[in-house]
Amino acid sequence: MNQQNHDRAESLPIPAPDLKVIDQMQIGFVKRFTDVKQAKLEGKPVVYTTVLAPREILQAMGVPYVFGNVLGAYVSIFGYSAKYCQIAEDLGLSREVCAAHRCTVGLSQHDEREDFFNLAYTEPDLVIGSNFPCSAESKSFLYVIDRYKTPSYIIDTPANTWKCPVPEHAVTYLARQYQGMIRFLEENGYTLDMDKLREEVAFSKRLNELIAEVEVYRRAVPTPIKAYDSVIAACTPLLVSKESGAELLFEKLRDELKERVDNGIGIVPNERLRLLWIGIPPLCDFKLLNYPEKHGAVVAKSLVEFLTGFNLDPDLIDPDNPLESLARASISSPINPTSQGMVDYFVQAVKDYRIDGVVSITKRTCCLLPGSQRLIKDAIFKETGVPSVIFDLDCIDARDYDAAAAHANLDSFVEILMAKKGAAS
Amino acid sequence: MNNITPLKSITPFKEAIAAPGKIALDWKAHNGKVIGFRCISVPEEIIWAAGMLPFPLYGTQEAVRLADSYFQPCTCEFVRNIFDLALDKKFSFLDGLVLSNTCDIMKRFYDLWNAYIDAPDAYFINNPQKLMQDANRDYHVEEFNLFKKWIESISGASVTDKKLNEAIALYNETRSLLKEIALLRKSDPPLLTGTEAFIISMGATILPKNAVNPLLREVLAEIKERQAPDVFGARILVTGSIIDSPDLIEMIEEVDGVVVADDLCTSMRYYWHQVEESPEPIHALYSYMNKRPYCACMHPMGARFDYIKDLAREFKADAVIQFNLKNCQPFLFDAPLLKKELELMDLPISILDIGHDRSGYGQLRTRIQAFIEMFDIE
C-alpha cells in the first residue's frame, strides 16, 4: 500500500481497498445512489426494499430502489449505529431486536441525516418487504410503511425444508409472489417489458457465472484478495447496474485476481493460516476482518457473499423462464432457512478454500445464525476435522461492541491454530 | 377475585397442565400413537383423523441448561427450554413431531431436533406466512396434503375425508365450548377469572378432544350455576408471545386486574374461529388457517391489530398488557406499532419483557401492579 492510501486508510472507519477494481466498485455504489435521487426528482416512485427481493424485476420495470438493509449496514460502517439505534429505541423498539434493523429503522425515521445518508437515502413511495431470510427482515419495513404511509407488498418466501430438489408447488407459490410484486408495481405506475426481464435475468445469470470464476481464484493459496475487498465485491451486484458496467467490473476483478494467482502474490507476505468467517461481518469495525493478517492469517472466505443473496446457482437461472427460475434459485440458495443448505455450504467452503479454522461469531440480536452455529461447527469438524471458535461479537451496534475482546478472541484462536499447525508439521 | 367459589370441574385441566406427559402416556397405553406439535398452525384434525393424539409441546419453568450449548443464549428461552426437555428424553413417548413455519428459531429447533435428538425426524409444514389472502391457497393446501401423507405413513391408517370431517366436527365442538366459556367473561364482573379461563383453555389444548368436550360442558354448567363474583378491577386484555403457564395471568389478577380476554396461542387464538363444514375438508382447514387470528410471525400485521382491537372493544378492556418473551423478535418488533394503534383508541398498553424461567417475576409483579393501579377502579 502506498503512503497516500495508507494515510487514507488510517483516517477512515473502513480499510482502504487493496485491489484497484474495488475502488471502482465503490464509486459505482455512489453513482447508484445519485441515480435514485435523480429518478425521484423526475417523479418516479422510489421503492424501499431488501437485497433478497428480485432486483431483476425492479431493473426490468425501471424502478428506482433503495435497499433498507444496505443502508442499515452503512449506518454501522460509518460509525452512526449508536445514534440511529437510539432513534429506533426511542420509538419503543427493544434493544433485543436485530441491531442491523434498528439501524435501518432509525435511519428511516429521522430527517437530519449526515451528508452521506442524504445522498444514499431517498424517501420511499412504495415498500416491498420480504421475510427472507428472517423475520426481522419483514418486520423492520413496517416502520417505513408506518412513517411514510406507503403502499406495500410483502414477498413470502418458503423456508427450504425440502432440501433439493425444491418441490414445484413451492416454486409456483414464490413465482406467484413475484407476479404479485409486478402487479403491485403496475398498480403504482410501472409497466413490465418481458423481454427486458429476460435480459435482466440473463444478466444475473452472467454475473453469477462471473462470480463463480472469481471464486476459483479466491481459493488459491496464498489468498489474493483481502476480506474487506471481497465484501465490497459481494455487494457490487446489488448496487452496480448492468448499465453502469457491473459485468466489466467483475471481469476486471477476475483478471486482477488471476494475475496475482499466476504470480503467486498473496495479501500477506507469508500466509500461515486461512480462516472462514461465519456471522455478520464486523460492520462497526470493518478493519477487524483484516486484523488476523498481523499473525499471517487471512480471512479467505466470509459470510457476506452468502448474505447478499448473490449465491444463486447460475445453472438454476433460466432467462426464458424468469420468474420460476428466480424462485427456484432463491429457495435453493444456502441462506434460505432451514440450516441444511447453510451447513452444506460452509462444509464445502472449508474444503474448497482450504480453511484451517472457522471464526463463528454470535450477534446477540440475530435470530437466524445463533440457532445454527453449533450445528455448523459440528458438521464442519465431523466432515473436515477443522476446528471452530464461537464467540459473542455485536459488530453492528457500536455501543455493544468490544474491540479488545474481539482482538483477544481472535488472537487466542489464531495462536492455538498456529500451535496446532506447528505441532502437525 | 378471592370471593369466587372454586370450580371443581377445572381439576382435570389443571392436572393436564401440571403433567401433560401423563396425558400422552395414558393415550399411548390405551389408544395408540402420539404426535407432538408446535405451533397452532399445525392442523391437529389431520392427526386425530389418523387415530393419533396431537400433543402440544409445552415447557417447564426450569432454567435452561444443556440447550445453551446447542442454541446461543440470545435465542428464545421457551424453545431452548423445550429442547432441554427433549435432550432429557422427556418427549420420548412421541411417535413423531411436526413443526410449522412460524418464527425463525422454530426453524432452528427443527434443524437441531433432527440433528441431535434421539427420536424420529421432525416433519415441517411449510405454511405460508402471508395470510388473509387467496393467493396462497394452492400452496397451503398442497402442504396440508403432503402432511396428511406423512401422517398416514406414521399411523398406517388412511385419513379419509369422512374421518377428517368427523375430526373437524369434534374439534369444532371443543372450540365452540371454549368460546362459550370465554364469552362469559364479557359481563362485568366476568363470570370466571382470567386464570380459570386460561387453565381451561390450555388444558383443553392438551387433553384428547373426545374426552375434553364432556369436561367443558361440566365447566360451563358449573360456572352458570355458581354465584356471580362481586369483584371489580381493571379489565385487562393480554397479548404477546406464547404463555404456557397460568402464572402471569394469575399475577395480574393477584394485583386486582381482571383478565377478560387474550390474544394468546394457548388460549383464545386457539379456539376463536370454527372450521367450516365442507365436502373438501383439507380446503376447509386451509380456509380456517388462512382467516383465523395469528401471531406476530405472520403477515399482514394490520389484521392482527384489528383482531386485538375488536377483542378489546367486545370485552370492554380498560387496558392491554403485552408479554414479550425475551428475544421473541416478532412480538418485540410489533410492540411499538401496536402501542401506537391502541393509543389511537385511548387504550393504554403496558409492554413487559418476561423470562420463561420466571426470572425477574418479583419486579414484573411490581410493574403490573403499578400499571393496574393507574385505573383506580373500585
Side-chain angles (χ1 to χ4, degrees):
Chain A
M1 190 186 299
N2 63 33
Q3 189 58 41
Q4 193 185 355
N5 269 356
H6 180 267
D7 292 347
R8 182 178 156 214
E10 287 301 305
S11 67
L12 284 171
I14 52 174
D18 182 46
L19 292 164
K20 284 179 209 154
V21 69
I22 299 297
D23 235 352
Q24 294 168 22
M25 288 176 170
Q26 292 190 142
I27 292 164
F29 295 1
V30 174
K31 180 175 182 321
R32 173 172 168 65
F33 299 143
T34 55
D35 287 349
V36 175
K37 280 261 179 275
Q38 184 57 36
K40 174 96 178 176
L41 286 174
E42 290 165 8
K44 286 190 171 183
V46 171
V47 168
Y48 187 96
T49 188
T50 156
V51 295
L52 295 173
R55 292 169 295 277
E56 296 81 357
I57 293 172
L58 298 167
Q59 287 286 139
M61 298 180 82
V63 179
Y65 52 95
V66 292
F67 289 126
N69 33 17
V70 169
L71 293 174
Y74 272 121
V75 163
S76 180
I77 289 167
F78 288 121
Y80 296 106
S81 56
K83 171 185 167 182
Y84 287 109
C85 281
Q86 187 61 54
I87 291 168
E89 290 158 22
D90 288 347
L91 288 177
L93 260 188
S94 164
R95 207 158 162 172
E96 288 171 10
V97 160
C98 173
H101 287 279
R102 268 182 287 135
C103 288
T104 303
V105 169
L107 185 69
S108 70
Q109 305 294 315
H110 193 64
D111 290 327
E112 290 168 27
R113 303 184 188 94
E114 296 71 22
D115 288 347
F116 175 79
F117 295 109
N118 277 330
L119 174 70
Y121 186 84
T122 304
E123 290 191 0
D125 304 287
L126 305 168
V127 170
I128 296 175
S130 167
N131 57 357
F132 184 30
C134 62
S135 56
E137 199 66 61
S138 65
K139 288 288 181 182
S140 65
F141 286 88
L142 300 174
Y143 288 82
V144 181
I145 295 164
D146 183 64
R147 167 143 201 228
Y148 295 104
K149 311 296 176 213
T150 59
S152 63
Y153 183 82
I154 299 278
I155 302 167
D156 180 17
T157 303
N160 186 3
T161 46
W162 309 279
K163 306 177 180 81
C164 284
V166 175
E168 283 309 307
H169 74 287
V171 173
T172 303
Y173 176 59
L174 185 54
R176 284 185 187 162
Q177 296 287 302
Y178 294 163
Q179 283 165 355
M181 172 181 160
I182 292 167
R183 277 195 301 278
F184 169 75
L185 291 167
E186 286 172 341
E187 286 161 9
N188 287 284
Y190 289 100
T191 51
L192 175 66
D193 174 345
M194 277 307 287
D195 288 338
K196 182 93 170 95
L197 179 60
R198 288 187 197 99
E199 273 175 34
E200 288 294 338
V201 173
F203 175 66
S204 273
K205 184 181 175 76
R206 172 67 185 140
L207 277 192
N208 276 285
E209 287 165 350
L210 273 170
I211 289 166
E213 289 175 32
V214 165
E215 291 301 302
V216 170
Y217 294 111
R218 287 190 59 195
R219 290 171 194 152
V221 180
T223 191
I225 182 167
K226 281 182 178 277
Y228 175 74
D229 283 18
S230 69
V231 169
I232 298 301
C235 295
T236 296
L238 303 171
L239 297 171
V240 182
S241 66
K242 187 172 61 175
E243 292 72 22
S244 296
E247 188 173 345
L248 185 63
L249 289 172
F250 269 92
E251 286 168 355
K252 279 187 185 173
L253 174 62
R254 178 197 60 199
D255 296 343
E256 275 195 59
L257 293 185
K258 180 177 186 306
E259 191 183 338
R260 284 190 174 187
V261 171
D262 288 347
N263 292 297
I265 298 168
I267 57 166
V268 291
N270 178 22
E271 183 176 300
R272 299 168 70 193
L273 279 180
R274 297 167 67 79
L275 303 175
L276 169 66
W277 184 285
I278 296 179
I280 309 293
L283 298 179
C284 66
D285 181 11
F286 242 131
K287 291 176 181 173
L288 190 69
L289 270 185
N290 294 347
Y291 174 79
E293 290 171 16
K294 78 169 194 174
H295 295 288
V298 296
V299 175
K301 180 81 175 165
S302 74
L303 181 81
V304 167
E305 303 98 289
F306 168 88
L307 276 178
T308 57
F310 245 86
N311 226 303
L312 301 182
D313 181 349
D315 291 341
L316 293 179
I317 302 175
D318 174 10
D320 291 328
N321 194 12
L323 298 184
E324 284 74 11
S325 70
L326 284 177
R328 190 183 308 282
S330 195
I331 298 172
S332 308
S333 157
I335 195 167
N336 186 322
T338 63
S339 288
Q340 192 55 49
M342 276 194 224
V343 169
D344 293 346
Y345 176 84
F346 287 126
V347 168
Q348 195 58 44
V350 166
K351 292 175 183 170
D352 290 345
Y353 294 78
R354 289 179 264 183
I355 298 296
D356 299 300
V358 178
V359 176
S360 182
I361 62 146
T362 305
K363 177 171 80 73
R364 295 189 69 87
T365 56
C366 177
C367 48
L368 189 68
L369 276 173
S372 304
Q373 287 174 286
R374 163 75 186 262
L375 191 61
I376 294 167
K377 171 185 178 290
D378 286 355
I380 288 174
F381 191 76
K382 185 178 168 198
E383 290 281 319
T384 67
V386 169
S388 302
V389 62
I390 298 176
F391 60 87
D392 279 6
L393 183 72
D394 193 320
C395 44
I396 291 178
D397 184 348
R399 297 168 302 173
D400 293 327
Y401 177 64
D402 183 343
H407 290 165
N409 280 318
L410 285 171
D411 286 341
S412 51
F413 184 54
V414 167
E415 283 160 14
I416 291 166
L417 290 176
M418 294 283 193
K420 183 179 166 231
K421 205 165 184 179
S425 62
Chain B
M1 295 199 125
N2 296 327
N3 65 341
I4 291 184
T5 316
L7 277 177
K8 287 179 194 154
S9 53
I10 205 172
T11 305
F13 299 90
K14 279 186 176 167
E15 287 172 354
I17 293 173
K22 187 173 177 303
I23 305 294
L25 289 169
D26 284 352
W27 176 274
K28 247 181 127 69
H30 301 103
N31 301 89
K33 292 181 176 176
V34 177
I35 302 293
F37 73 94
R38 220 10 327 115
C39 303
I40 62 170
S41 35
V42 171
E44 288 179 58
E45 291 89 340
I46 295 177
I47 303 170
W48 183 269
M52 303 190 290
L53 177 69
F55 180 79
L57 300 195
Y58 292 130
T60 61
Q61 289 172 321
E62 293 163 89
V64 177
R65 297 171 298 105
L66 282 175
D68 274 347
S69 71
Y70 295 87
F71 295 88
Q72 301 301 308
C74 54
T75 55
C76 169
E77 214 172 83
F78 165 71
V79 170
R80 281 183 287 138
N81 173 243
I82 57 175
F83 198 72
D84 252 348
L85 298 177
L87 288 167
D88 283 346
K89 298 190 183 300
K90 295 280 169 55
F91 298 129
S92 58
F93 51 78
L94 294 180
D95 297 289
L97 173 67
V98 54
L99 303 168
S100 57
N101 189 16
T102 53
C103 65
D104 297 328
I105 208 64
M106 195 47 71
K107 291 167 200 160
R108 306 283 83 81
F109 182 83
Y110 167 77
D111 294 324
L112 295 184
W113 176 284
N114 287 347
Y116 296 107
I117 301 299
D118 184 17
D121 273 2
Y123 184 89
F124 194 89
I125 298 179
N126 218 320
N127 51 275
Q129 289 195 332
K130 203 163 99 177
L131 303 173
M132 310 295 274
Q133 47 144 4
D134 294 332
N136 62 21
R137 187 186 54 228
D138 294 350
Y139 172 68
H140 206 162
V141 165
E142 182 60 13
E143 277 298 302
F144 282 173
N145 278 324
L146 291 171
F147 173 57
K148 183 163 81 88
K149 278 184 194 159
W150 181 77
I151 282 294
E152 286 171 335
S153 74
I154 303 280
S155 69
S158 176
V159 176
T160 61
D161 284 354
K162 182 173 179 290
K163 285 182 187 170
L164 198 44
N165 274 321
E166 286 167 2
I168 288 170
L170 180 71
Y171 270 72
N172 271 346
E173 190 182 359
T174 307
R175 288 186 276 259
S176 169
L177 288 163
L178 285 167
K179 187 166 181 175
E180 199 177 337
I181 292 168
L183 292 173
L184 299 175
R185 298 158 80 187
K186 277 179 148 182
S187 63
D188 191 11
L191 298 187
L192 73 163
T193 67
T195 308
E196 288 170 334
F198 182 86
I199 290 168
I200 293 162
S201 302
M202 185 175 157
T205 68
I206 300 164
L207 289 159
K209 298 301 174 278
N210 59 347
V212 87
N213 289 346
L215 295 173
L216 290 171
R217 279 190 284 273
E218 277 181 44
V219 167
L220 256 175
E222 193 182 346
I223 294 170
K224 285 174 180 172
E225 276 172 19
R226 78 174 171 180
Q227 195 178 351
D230 182 22
V231 288
F232 295 91
R235 295 171 66 88
I236 304 293
L237 183 151
V238 173
T239 181
S241 316
I242 183 168
I243 292 178
D244 59 347
S245 152
D247 287 15
L248 291 166
I249 310 295
E250 210 167 6
M251 190 185 284
I252 294 170
E253 301 198 321
E254 280 169 1
V255 295
D256 293 334
V258 185
V259 177
V260 291
D262 66 69
D263 162 49
L264 298 172
C265 59
T266 41
S267 185
M268 286 173 74
R269 224 188 286 142
Y270 182 73
Y271 58 75
W272 203 239
H273 288 183
Q274 294 275 302
V275 181
E276 283 179 22
E277 288 182 25
S278 162
E280 293 181 283
I282 291 283
H283 281 258
L285 286 170
Y286 150 74
S287 296
Y288 167 70
M289 293 290 183
N290 192 37
K291 298 270 168 63
R292 78 147 181 218
Y294 46 83
C295 73
C297 299
M298 306 298 181
H299 292 278
M301 179 192 68
R304 191 173 91 74
F305 288 180
D306 288 345
Y307 165 72
I308 294 170
K309 288 189 289 186
D310 288 347
L311 269 189
R313 283 188 202 102
E314 190 175 347
F315 285 82
K316 298 187 176 63
D318 296 308
V320 174
I321 292 179
Q322 171 158 335
F323 288 118
N324 289 323
L325 268 176
K326 277 180 194 157
N327 304 301
C328 178
Q329 298 234 359
F331 279 98
L332 287 170
F333 262 109
D334 274 8
L337 296 169
L338 177 62
K339 184 170 190 279
K340 199 171 165 181
E341 286 273 318
L342 296 182
E343 280 171 354
L344 289 175
M345 55 186 282
D346 289 328
L347 194 59
I349 176 171
S350 178
I351 298 165
L352 299 167
D353 287 351
I354 54 169
H356 187 261
D357 63 358
R358 298 180 189 229
S359 56
Y361 266 30
Q363 190 188 25
L364 185 67
R365 186 189 163 94
T366 306
R367 292 185 67 186
I368 292 172
Q369 188 166 20
F371 181 63
I372 287 173
E373 281 170 357
M374 275 175 24
F375 299 96
D376 193 25
I377 292 171
E378 294 294 322

